[in-house]
Amino acid sequence: MMDLLPDSVVFGRGCASGVASAVPGRRPLLVCSSGSGTRAAREAVAAALDAAGIDYVRFDGAGSNPKLASIDEGAAAAVSAGCDCVVAVGGGSQLDAGKAMALVAASGGSIRDYTGGRASSPDVKALPVVAVATTCGTGSEVNGICVLTDEVTHDKAGVTSPSVVPVRAFVDPGLMETMPPRVLASVTYDTLCHLVESFMSSASTPRTDEICRRGLECLSEALIPANRGDPDSLSRVAMASTAVGIAIYIAGTTAGHAIEHPLSGLRDIPHGEGLAAVSPAIYRIGHPEVFREAAALLGMPGEGLDSAMLSISRELGLDRPLSDLGFGRDDIPWLTGSAIRNRGSKLSRHPVDLSEADIRRVYEESLRRARLSGNFL
């Protein structure tokens, strides 16, 4: 899939050592997480910047499911220190945070001023961003999408702007080999969902269809081996993850992400785990041809897409009902309301028209799904 990646992507084991040569300014804001999972990667990038004599300012408050307040805090740090670019290191959360900070640092105000489609104006500017991906899940390193969490309402807040598309992306599978198994399972399931959802999106194009078809075929062979420690398979999944980052920027995602976002917004759970919990129930509603085609591309032509997604989640150890992730029946009204409030274009692009009752049913079935079973009780 290398031929599907843009020229801005540097791909391959060890490539992140060259990040210093790609810094597009004199004083970058280094955006990362303080968590142990990305310690080796962020220290490697910091060492490369130090060796090149680059004076950077470190902001390590970009945690998982980044909050709006942390974006304003990071942007203020960049402005105060006179930063003229951003180097973001980590998974999708850190890359999204870095891109959002770059926007606020250059355009002013608060990140809240740019949610809800207000960042698409050509007047919105951003500091140039270099992205160093340490997971293979979001494709954030090649697109202008930032998914954030409103810590007041717990709704997900999206910011989309061409100004935040990274000017250079380093995708180094060697940095991904130390991911804990649970993290790897979650992010690779997110890649799977990006491919499935962009493939079925009503906004798909011939280019996104090619990315998704080839990506799904790749995952049919490489997804499980990558999660079992095969480095070549991990490289293939990383490449598919980056490529589908382009597809979701063009075609978008659909119901899976619309229905999952309230889960990670409310409980701060890993996004991929939420997707694994709700996706099978989503694909039980309706029987469009694209569901069958997606299952066939995944190497399961005789299965429904719901069964295919459940089978993969089982192989990855992600087949957990929402009750195992901390949710109860009392949460369903809020979850349904959040999905409806923020339904936007995600649900409109889905090939099946999902009603409010359908969305509630997805949460209910996902809440009580029996572990290690393809049945809904």
Side-chain angles (χ1 to χ4, degrees), residues 194-213 246-254 290 293 345 348-351:
H194 285 162
L195 287 162
V196 168
E197 293 180 38
S198 293
F199 183 58
M200 67 179 58
S201 169
S202 61
S204 65
T205 68
R207 184 186 183 195
T208 63
D209 282 347
E210 181 182 10
I211 289 172
C212 293
R213 284 194 174 94
I246 301 165
I248 62 175
Y249 193 39
I250 298 170
T253 53
T254 55
V290 71
E293 188 175 356
S345 52
S348 67
R349 291 189 294 255
H350 192 69

Side-chain angles (χ1 to χ4, degrees), residues 64-120:
S64 62
N65 298 310
K67 310 300 187 288
L68 298 182
S70 70
I71 303 304
D72 288 346
E73 182 183 354
V79 172
S80 175
C83 294
D84 55 2
C85 60
V86 169
V87 175
V89 182
S93 291
Q94 290 74 47
L95 303 189
D96 285 1
K99 294 189 296 187
M101 291 173 194
L103 187 153
V104 176
S107 293
S110 165
I111 191 61
R112 292 180 181 275
D113 300 329
Y114 303 100
T115 60
R118 290 173 288 182
S120 59

